Amino acid sequence: MGNALFLGRRKLSELVIPWCTYTDPEIAHVGLYPTEARQNGIPVKTYTVLMHDVARAVMDGEEEGFAKIHVREGSDRILGATIVASHAGEMINAVSLAIKSGMGLHALADVIHPFPTQAQGIKMAGDAYRRTKLTSSWKHLAGRWLAWSRR
């Protein structure tokens, strides 16, 4: 619409357009699917959180579904996300904003969410990414520190 009203030249490929199908559970998506990214020569890593691991989903009895966030392998650049959950339509907004603003998955994990919310699943995916960034030496040091602190 901006192109029509203001004689813009913004291309559709530059826009982040989420969608949601309001079934039970809802199905929402934004950005690239892993197969699309790979077809374009972009290596992808997907972080998946099952809704039965999200405290609020368990409390609400809405444990069916998942949140998958796809990043460019070797970085935290978010390429896309698929969420199948009771509140997927609301949850996809945070990922859409992150993609549009260039926020990586690491930064998205740093966002403080009220607890408990079903959007905690997005933060949990970011935490899963963050755990992969621990080097073996850091893991060794952390293990030694934990062993020492338990004495």
Side-chain angles (χ1 to χ4, degrees), residues 21-100:
T21 302
Y22 296 98
T23 54
D24 186 18
E26 297 173 1
I27 304 166
H29 179 81
V30 66
L32 294 175
Y33 290 96
T35 53
E36 290 176 304
R38 288 185 189 104
Q39 288 170 351
N40 290 314
I42 303 169
V44 178
K45 174 83 173 146
T46 298
Y47 295 92
T48 303
V49 173
L50 301 175
M51 293 308 289
H52 67 73
D53 293 329
V54 178
R56 179 61 184 261
V58 172
M59 290 169 41
D60 292 344
E62 300 172 339
E63 302 171 53
E64 187 176 1
F66 57 84
K68 291 184 177 187
I69 301 181
H70 319 295
V71 299
R72 182 182 189 102
E73 194 166 356
S75 79
D76 73 337
R77 180 174 168 236
I78 301 171
L79 300 173
T82 302
I83 302 174
V84 175
S86 292
H87 302 282
E90 283 91 24
M91 293 171 66
I92 203 70
N93 293 327
V95 183
S96 299
L97 178 61
I99 292 172
K100 179 68 177 160

